[in-house]
Amino acid sequence: EKSKCRELSHQYQMFRSGGGGCCDCGDHEAWEPAGFCPRHGERDPGDDDEADEVAADVAKVAPTLLSAVLRYVMQGLFHVRAEGNVEDPGEYLVVLFNDDVHDMQTVEHAIQRSVACPLERARQLMMEAHDNGFAILQRGEQEPCRQAFGVLQEEGLVSNLTRAGWLRHERRSCALLKFLRGVCGASNTLRRMTCAALIAEAGAELRGAE
């Protein structure tokens, strides 16, 4: 918001997102080069890849470590069992996640519809999701949980139908993704390594699904 371009009344577009932001001044992939101002001539495509000061020992182990982390994240989020794991995934769970879109009254009403509980209980569950990031609304057999989950989807709330045995893996995976987002924002070199590892792991998963 304190960009020199804004002070000079240059034409610009501003977007906000949870993943951070960047300046597109002089980026030929975002704007027509003919419109660049003298202050921001066409950016060298290599500018984004300026070398970082990444310790040699970190650069050496990072690709292997990032691949292992991303593999765990994908297995946790897509419920891929480790080979030989015969553990019972447990009962079904309906999980509601906090978001910054819906007001409290909307969420309370959706919870009441979903799990047929009194207003006071719906308010407690809503505050639990607000304070902790998520709340388990219902647990038990598949069909009742699926119906409750369907109501939340109708209301447009961020929710999930999962199994008790997978919940801890999902939470760890989300925490790891948050960590990786910080890694990518801290270093161009580590960002490129993370992207390469993600492409490699995603490709392996797709080939395995064929």
Side-chain angles (χ1 to χ4, degrees):
E1 295 186 4
K2 297 181 180 179
S3 169
K4 190 68 176 179
C5 286
R6 191 175 186 184
E7 295 175 8
L8 295 173
S9 300
H10 289 182
Q11 182 180 2
Y12 68 91
Q13 289 180 310
M14 185 179 295
F15 299 92
R16 297 184 184 278
S17 69
C22 63
C23 178
D24 289 331
C25 295
D27 187 348
H28 67 285
E29 293 185 352
W31 303 96
E32 283 290 341
F36 293 159
C37 71
R39 179 182 176 86
H40 292 107
E42 184 168 2
R43 181 189 299 173
D44 184 342
D47 286 352
D48 285 338
D49 294 329
E50 290 183 8
D52 311 285
E53 289 296 329
V54 176
D57 54 347
V58 173
K60 183 177 180 180
V61 302
T64 301
L65 179 60
L66 290 168
S67 292
V69 170
L70 288 166
R71 189 178 308 119
Y72 178 87
V73 166
M74 286 190 287
Q75 289 176 347
L77 294 179
F78 297 124
H79 296 186
V80 178
R81 288 192 182 191
E83 187 174 350
N85 183 1
V86 294
E87 179 184 359
D88 183 359
E91 62 188 346
Y92 283 85
L93 303 177
V94 179
V95 184
L96 173 68
F97 296 95
N98 184 45
D99 67 47
D100 299 323
V101 177
H102 300 88
D103 60 73
M104 293 184 173
Q105 289 73 23
T106 299
V107 177
E108 289 175 357
H109 173 70
I111 293 174
Q112 279 190 287
R113 282 191 57 213
S114 174
V115 297
C117 66
L119 177 60
E120 185 60 32
R121 176 57 178 162
R123 184 167 294 127
Q124 290 175 353
L125 291 168
M126 180 269 296
M127 289 306 302
E128 182 180 339
H130 177 75
D131 294 336
N132 302 326
F134 77 100
I136 299 174
L137 303 190
Q138 184 168 312
R139 58 177 72 224
E141 298 297 323
Q142 179 179 11
E143 191 51 38
C145 286
R146 190 176 298 280
Q147 292 177 4
F149 173 61
V151 173
L152 298 177
Q153 285 189 305
E154 290 175 8
E155 295 286 348
L157 300 184
V158 182
S159 55
N160 189 25
L161 176 64
T162 186
R163 305 287 288 272
W166 282 108
L167 184 60
R168 65 180 182 275
H169 297 296
E170 293 172 1
R171 293 185 63 192
R172 289 173 187 164
S173 296
C174 290
L176 286 170
L177 285 175
K178 185 176 181 179
F179 168 75
L180 289 175
R181 186 173 69 180
V183 169
C184 291
S187 163
N188 283 335
T189 299
L190 293 177
R191 172 175 54 82
R192 292 197 303 272
M193 290 182 177
T194 302
C195 291
L198 178 58
I199 291 171
E201 290 300 322
E205 289 292 328
L206 290 173
R207 288 192 296 273
E210 291 178 351

